[in-house]
Amino acid sequence: QTTYSASSPGCKSVQLQCWLSAPPSMVSTEQRQHAEHIFLSFRKSKSPFAICKHILETSKVDYVLFQAATAVMEAVVREWILLEKTSIESLRAFLLTYVLQRPNLQKYVREQILLAVAVIVKRGSLDKSINCKSIFHEVGQLISSGNPTVQTLACSILTALLSEFSSSSKTSSIGLSMEFHGSCKRVFQEEGLRQIFMLTMEVLQEFSRRENLNAQMSSVFQRYLTLANQVLSWNFLPPNHILSSSENVTLKPTESWREALLDTRVMDLFFTVHRKIREDSDMAQDSLQCLAQLASMHGPIFPDESAQVSYLAHLVEGLLSMINGIEIEDSEAVGISNIISNLITMFPRSTLTALPSDLFTSFINCLTLLTCSFGRSAALEEVLDKDDMVYMEAYDKLLESWLTLVQDEEHFPRGCFVQPAIQVFNSYIQCHLAAPDGTRNLSANGISSHEEEEINELQEDDRELFSDQLSSIGMLGRVAADHCIPLLTTLLEDRVTRLHGQLQRTQQHLMASSDLGSVDRKVLDELYEDIHWLILVTGYVLADDPQGETPLIPSEVMEFSIKHSTEVDINTTLQILGSPGEKASSIPGCNRTDSVIRLLSAVLRTSEVESRATRASLTELLSPQMGKDIMWFLRPDISLYTAISIPLSTAFGVDTEGAQWIVGYLLEKVINNLSVWSSETELANDTVELLVTLVEKRERANIVVQCESWWNLAKQFASRSPPLHLLSSSVQRSLMKALVLGGFAHMDADAKQQYWAEVLHPLQQRFLNLINQENFAQISQEEAVKQEIVATLEALCGIAEATQIDNVVSLFSFLMDFLSSCIGLMEVYSNTPETINLIIEVFVEVAHKQICYLGETKSMKLYEACLTLLQVYSKNNQSRKRSDATAEEDQYQDLLLIMELLTNLLSKEFIDFSDTDDVFRNQDQGTPASSRTVSAADVVLYGVNIVLPLMSQDLLKFPSLCNQYYKLITFICEIFPEKIPQLPEDLFKSLMFSLELGMTSMSSEISQLCLEALSPLAEQCAKSQEKDTPLFIATRHFLKLVFDMLVLQKHNTEMAAGEAFYTLVCLHQAEYSELVETLLSSQRDAVIYQRLADAFNKLTASSTPPTMDRKQKVAFLKSLEEFVANVGGLLCMK
Amino acid sequence: MADLQAEFESVSSGASQTYPIQCSALRKNGFVMLKGRPCKIVEMTTSKTGKHGHAKVHLVGIDIFTSKKLEDICPSTHNMDVPNVSRKDYQMVDINDSYLTLMDDSGDTREDLKLPEGDLGQDIEKKHDNGDNFLVSFYCRIDINIDFDSFPDLPMHKHLTVG
């Protein structure tokens, strides 16, 4: 029946394969493509079984064999329902025999043929047409042959079955529903998988008994070990689930596995295997991973708690005897830490505490020693700058396990973690301090290696890089607060004193020589690094989650303070806090102070030494890194709260003075930093962020505005006098934000008026004076003028950023006055793109922060302003062409900003807090809503008019532009579908083209967005009931597009596609029927025709005639899912 | 025809052709003197030597006259010179021996600028021969070659160098 003659395809294939694999110089690209094409279409040919068998039996070319095996596999799946079961069975037998008889096949050919076998077994497993048992029987015989080659082959068969049934990314796609895959998997994991496990265990047992394995046998051993690992890593599918999550699979077998896995000999075998092969790093990874999986075992496999306890006890005993008395290999560190981490995470606390107490204690001791040892090795890895940081990874895992344990401390015997915590904490500190207290930068032989490397701005700060480690250490520090808090205090106070002395000595040295280059920075740098780590650890001890939004003082710290409150003298404590300029130990009675406050004040002392050094013009000797650490630590949420709540809880009475003092201190510090550290952008950023958080909360802002220095700061900044004007633009922006926020603190009316007169009015005044100068156009390009303009624009962005619901009224009015002037600047600076961008950015910020609060009248004002902005922009850019080829993304910043602006304006449709118009009530009187002239739609569509013609396909290659663009057009289609038909023809066409492009040739995320845009468009057409409008015609085209996507391509059914499809079908019922008819009439095969026809009937059965009714739509979507599962794969056939 | 506008870059003689600004306050797309040449900053990154070192700024600029790429690295506390690049409009009066006669707002004329070579020069000449009335504007900076930067009806800038 085949149209091919028996031999010709084979010969042809050889020729083709030569083309494919020949070096590029020998064959033309066309020949290669032609050859590829032939193979691809060969694989799609109908019933290729006879010809494939023939090829397999006669061809000597590996690549051709591979293609033949692939063709068989694909055809079996495709034509399954049409094939006789006996012929499938004989095909499977043929393939297996074929492989067995040819031990010298290329690996990739053999694997492909076995894959075909596995696919057949899987496809047959559901309708029970293929007997699974027979294949395991055959494999069992292969294994018992004792012949390593045959055993390897057996292993390959089992591995192929495992991959096919796992229903994961490894599984071949055979065009069937996930439902089918899920059912196959569930059947397999109850029966086949366990058989594979038993077979594997037999092999491992056998090999672990043997002495002297030769290379070939070792290799077989390794394969089965890997297979065992795969079985134990099986992602058991829970009942009623089709899909399983794939991250970090833990072992959760079903009940039927009890006998197989609760047998202690299984676990013992894996310990034995590991002991035997632990020096082979590849194999050791597998054996440790098997143990780690066993350590994660949970779920219905345990009949009761005692079974779980004895399983865990056996595991812990095995683990301890494995670790004790060996020197751990580098390659074992991660594996061992995984075992520990899994058992701590997965076993219930009650199971852990039910362990015999001496076993539990030994386990905790072993964990402690291991943690300290891995920590030291990790530090060594850092010194040696190793690429592969295995100990660091293992150390991270163990510290994470400690965190898990200690967080559940209340379940364990009281105080049982204190000693371990002290040890781990001490060793961490030791690894991070310089000699003699610590071992930092010491290599194994005790020699200090210290190189200054270049660090670029992209490198993460230690506090983020090591945040996980530091969280664990902080937690352990709190568990052993009695030890750790005084230790940190002593170490920090000592370093601060030394730093102070060293700076003084350097100052004297400089008086003599005045050459900064002659200063030896080594001693200073060592001190800075010590202080750096001490502050980081202290910060993590005193705050729960320093990365979080509002960190809190942990209860352990409070309890620690309260516990010692009777020994504490509150006045001395406050004195310690309030005199950072003095040495703590020199204050009388300093031993009767609260330890937490004393630790906090140790950081304040560091800060004070730093400030004094800047006043003595020693800034250049200081460490900006330490400055950042101090700013991070002194975040008001921590420092202020600690300073207030500790005395509050230890002594009676509210200490408002203390709060005032510390706010004042922070303010002074901020001002000092901003004036001396303008050159260190990151430090300045951290500093200004601290200021923003200080005034963000009204009650703190109330204290701040009482400080004279705050007013000085405001005046200084407003007058743009040195040194604040040296700050980078982002810092200036945030500073403006802080100053505006401060203005809404509680002040009497006069003070408030004066404040605004000092802060905002100079800005306005200077700006107006400048732009109203007669010769402004001439001087506008002068650098000084440009800088003034840029500074004003930055300030406006900062003001917009300070918007809150209760200040939006005044800020909006203030900013609106500027916006129209800004539009004037668009003309003046039309040739200065960076200024244009900044102007647009002001609009973006105002829209972003304020539109959601604005009532109708105010919104309209903003829309009007935006519209004018866009008009001017458009006029100035009409003749401007951009060079495409070499252009960089940031040259299109203006486009991106405009799209952002439009999206922000649209966002009001989703987020609107203004429904009552309450905040503006007093001002909006007398402006009737009917006078509405400009709507969001007008602005946005006008904007799209500008943006669309500029968005070439090349520009869409820039991810940021592409995402913003599609976000915008989807928004528009969803919010203003009624406006779309009114678009000018060109614009309409390019919008439709963009949608098509987005659906067909962009990322799946973009395609999703475009599909979401289709439903509202189709609904719009249905509403208007006009036929033959351009939109009506366009949607008809989209119907075909989505139809093809869903029916003809292997496309995952996504909600958006289904919804779009349904609304389009409703709109174009006749065209849909036509599409179905055309598809059906092209099917020559009667069986397939019938299947398809049935499927299509079923698809629309529940919704005939289709209407845009929710219930019908839901029914349709459900049928669509079935439809794709049933016939999706069928239609992929050529 | 006032819409025909040619732009010339150069620098005016004046008290301050450049003024100092702290490196950290420079911004991308702004101007700076690199290796004695006025440049537009196209790239600005920071780094430090050692964890406790101070920031250094790495600047990459394009010479506004020659379009040559120049780089410099300096401590961020250092002051960098920013050229005072300004723009001035002149009325086109005449062309003599390939030198332009230009008049500013106040009626003062200058004749020290040579007609640019290439298309721009031909364009100016043609417009002048046609008797068109047009403005010429240029950025000025003395001691450095005078450059012409024009976009009459042209979408793209052209850089042409004259004596």
Side-chain angles (χ1 to χ4, degrees), chain A residues 504-555:
Chain A
Q504 273 180 330
R505 277 189 294 282
T506 314
Q507 190 181 22
Q508 277 152 14
H509 170 84
L510 282 174
M511 280 187 214
S513 84
S514 85
D515 174 19
L516 269 168
S518 69
V519 174
D520 180 15
R521 292 194 56 116
K522 200 165 174 300
V523 179
L524 281 173
D525 280 350
E526 292 287 346
L527 281 169
Y528 290 140
E529 184 71 358
D530 277 10
I531 293 172
H532 167 64
W533 285 107
L534 289 170
I535 291 181
L536 289 189
V537 173
T538 305
Y540 275 85
V541 168
L542 294 189
D544 238 338
D545 175 21
Q547 309 291 333
E549 290 282 297
T550 40
L552 291 174
I553 309 296
S555 55

Side-chain angles (χ1 to χ4, degrees), chain A residues 308-323:
Chain A
Q308 201 168 7
V309 173
S310 59
Y311 178 85
L312 179 63
H314 197 74
L315 176 67
V316 172
E317 276 163 14
L319 182 67
L320 293 181
S321 68
M322 182 182 94
I323 295 172

Side-chain angles (χ1 to χ4, degrees), chain A residues 16 19-20 30-40:
Chain A
L16 294 170
W19 283 351
L20 278 176
E30 291 77 48
Q31 280 174 318
R32 194 184 300 272
Q33 279 169 354
H34 178 63
E36 278 168 1
H37 184 73
I38 301 263
F39 274 119
L40 282 176

